[in-house]
Every structure is written in C-alpha cells, then in structure tokens.
Amino acid sequence: ILYVVECGSFKETHNVIAQRLVALIDQYRPRKVGIEAGFHEDFQFIMRQTIQDYERQQGVELTVGEFVPMKVGNQFSKAERINRTLATFCRAHRVFIHESLASLMRQMDHFPKSKRDDEVDATAMLIPLSQSEVPSRYGYDVPSDTHEWSWSVQDLLDKRAKKDATWAGRFKRAG
C-alpha cells in the first residue's frame, strides 16, 4: 500500500528546489530520495551545500540517505509507465492520497489528456522504488540495490499512528 502525503509541482531555480527538498528531508527523514536522473547529476553539489547551510541555520544535523537517480527507460511511453505503476496500484486499491492533494487528484482524473502531469509522473516514480521487484518491469532503469523507497508509508504510519489513530482516515482511496 502506498500513502501519498506530499506532492507538488513547481518550476523554480535549483537552489529553491534544493531548499524545499531539504526542508522535506528534515520533516520526514527518508533513507533514500529518488531524483530524476538528468536533474540528479547537476543537483548533487547544490544539495550538499544546501544541506550544510540548513544544518548550520537550523542547528540540526540531517541524516541524509542516498539520492537515487531515477532514469526513465525508453521501452514504454509515459502513459504506459504510469499505467504499469500508479494506475495498477490504484486499480488494486493500494494507493491512498491525502485529502489535501487536490492538484494530484485533478491531474490523475485528466491523465493522459492533460498537459499537466508532473505530479502524476512523480507519484508513479515512487512505485518502482517501493517494491522489491525489479524496477525495469515498470520502465525505469535504477540501480539494482534500490529496492526500498524511504518515504515508506509504513514508516510514516507507524510514527503518526502513535500520535493520531485517525491519521489514515484523512486519506482517500484512489481508484
């Protein structure tokens, strides 16, 4: 089961994206963070510097796991990749989307006919990283040791369930 708690699409400079990502890393403490491969190479230096600045400013030490490059393979179209990942999980009632993510739900409702699909595409990329199966099955080329998506829903639920027994109730079943 996949619980989607954060999702967004924005066109910003690398520095602003890095600052947003570091704040999310501080909030959720993931073991791995998937980043689109073409963006990944240019982004590593900026991320390291942003993490150091953030730690100094906030007085915290971030334990940052691995940044995993998500290389989109060319064996499937975007629509087919999303159908094999997110849509399959939705049809199986294995995706829950937080009620605050109206933009993602709107994009899902209009996919593949809408030009706006960044959030759907990013959410679909979570599936191969969250599965123990070979990600290439879904049309992604990722390192073979990348089997666990660290923004694991179970990790989040375990932490939140202790604080709020109704937390999962704030999610809507997709599909």
Side-chain angles (χ1 to χ4, degrees):
I1 293 178
L2 178 69
Y3 286 81
V4 183
V5 296
E6 294 274 351
C7 191
S9 174
F10 44 87
K11 305 286 186 215
E12 299 285 350
T13 66
H14 282 47
N15 289 335
V16 171
I17 292 170
Q19 290 168 357
R20 287 184 182 205
L21 184 54
V22 168
L24 289 170
I25 289 169
D26 187 22
Q27 181 178 356
Y28 293 107
R29 304 297 172 133
R31 290 180 300 267
K32 293 181 183 177
V33 177
I35 299 178
E36 216 168 328
F39 188 61
H40 180 267
E41 289 88 23
D42 300 334
F43 198 57
Q44 288 183 8
F45 174 77
I46 294 169
M47 276 302 297
R48 274 187 244 120
Q49 188 62 50
T50 304
I51 289 167
Q52 289 172 358
D53 293 346
Y54 187 88
E55 289 175 333
R56 198 170 33 260
Q57 291 168 358
Q58 299 297 318
V60 298
E61 184 176 332
L62 294 180
T63 304
V64 181
E66 179 182 6
F67 288 94
V68 179
M70 291 294 299
K71 182 179 179 195
V72 177
N74 59 5
Q75 78 187 85
F76 302 115
S77 68
K78 180 189 281 191
E80 184 61 22
R81 275 195 326 275
I82 291 171
N83 185 47
R84 287 173 170 265
T85 55
L86 184 58
T88 298
F89 273 58
C90 287
R91 286 190 296 271
H93 304 289
R94 295 186 66 205
V95 175
F96 292 83
I97 297 171
H98 194 272
E99 63 189 6
S100 65
L101 301 177
S103 177
L104 171 60
M105 290 185 272
R106 232 182 348 269
Q107 285 187 20
M108 290 173 69
D109 285 343
H110 293 85
F111 186 82
K113 296 178 182 169
S114 174
K115 291 182 181 183
R116 297 189 55 123
D117 62 10
D118 291 344
E119 293 177 34
V120 174
D121 196 18
T123 304
M125 287 183 187
L126 292 173
I127 305 295
L129 289 174
S130 69
Q131 301 303 298
S132 60
E133 301 161 15
V134 179
S136 61
R137 168 182 174 190
Y138 301 109
Y140 296 92
D141 300 325
V142 296
S144 60
D145 64 341
T146 309
H147 296 300
E148 186 176 358
W149 178 249
S150 50
W151 296 55
S152 154
V153 181
Q154 196 57 51
D155 289 347
L156 293 173
L157 281 179
D158 289 347
K159 289 176 187 174
R160 296 278 180 128
K162 293 173 186 171
K163 294 180 184 176
D164 180 359
T166 65
W167 186 73
R170 294 195 303 258
F171 290 83
K172 295 182 179 179
R173 187 179 293 271

